[in-house]
Amino acid sequence: MRALLTKIERASGLDRFGDRLQQTVQNVLRPQRVRDLLHGVWLGHPLHPAMVQLPVGAWISAAVLDLMPGQRKAATTLTAVGTLSALPAAVAGLNDWAGLARDQRRVGLVHAASNSVGLALYGASLAARLSDRHRLGRTLGWLGLSAVGAGAYLGGHLAYKQGAQVNVSVSDLHLISDGWHPVAEMTNLPQRQLLTRKVDDVSVILYRHGDDVTVMLERCPHQSGPLGEGEVREVDGHACVVCPWHGSTFRLNGGEAVRGPSPNDQQVLPTRIVDGRLEARLP
Ligand code: FES
């Protein structure tokens, strides 16, 4: 399986179709507010993995009921619930997919293809059940479950091996030792300007507003873009840093994500000022 997954990651032949589909998704899913809603920016976590729980749960339950006598009606209802709820989950997944790196998009394409086959099989299963062909409906349902099972395996690879839509920067915290660390002299810190510094070996950005100074991890939680090279922009009255790679936007006061594709907030470090020197520590 590992060799197969590596092959998919390197399958550059998928890129032509993938690039076109990415463009289409970005053109169709507008405005940015809709994209952020589907990314789960409002939730602080990716929305797609949460949304797939409903179809997967309904379909697995239907498969179990299909093994029991007298449960045709319940199994049909669950097949319908799973099939209908899979559609918005797929849209949220496509939206996330369009913001991934190339190797992730290749695996994501096969993940989506496998789930699309599963969804089509479940649609056919539902049609068969509604026209009283329950034996065929059961067979199509089990085939559909196999296809979405393969899709789920690829989704797991995307998240856990390739780090798609997970917070890739938070592990930097493990590289910072306990205790307060000197970061900068306050007299050397200009107002409202992004600076980069190191805390232990971890890059952080500094932003001073009056006597308040934000110290935030520099690596973007989306795909490690350098926030220190981003621009500061005001969003809803709050100063925010915009990632130069894909535009994820984080409040400089607190790190909250206000625009995707990152649904994850950026980590800020607690600070204090001692004898005119700015210090930071682990949260
Ligand atoms: S790396 Fe993608 S938005 Fe920052």
Side-chain angles (χ1 to χ4, degrees), residues 161-198:
K161 195 268 181 178
Q162 294 184 288
Q165 289 305 86
V166 303
N167 185 335
V168 296
S169 65
V170 75
S171 55
D172 284 355
L173 294 177
H174 303 148
L175 303 174
I176 299 176
S177 54
D178 286 335
W180 289 99
H181 299 268
V183 183
E185 295 298 327
M186 288 298 284
T187 49
N188 295 337
L189 282 185
Q191 292 284 348
R192 298 176 184 234
Q193 209 175 302
L194 274 187
L195 299 174
T196 54
R197 290 284 186 278
K198 295 265 186 191

Side-chain angles (χ1 to χ4, degrees), residues 7-8 11 35 117 140 142 178 193 218 228-229 233 263 268:
K7 265 191 189 157
I8 297 173
R35 302 201 62 189
V117 169
L140 288 168
W142 285 326
D178 286 335
Q193 209 175 302
E218 194 205 1
E229 295 171 23
R233 198 181 290 162
V268 296

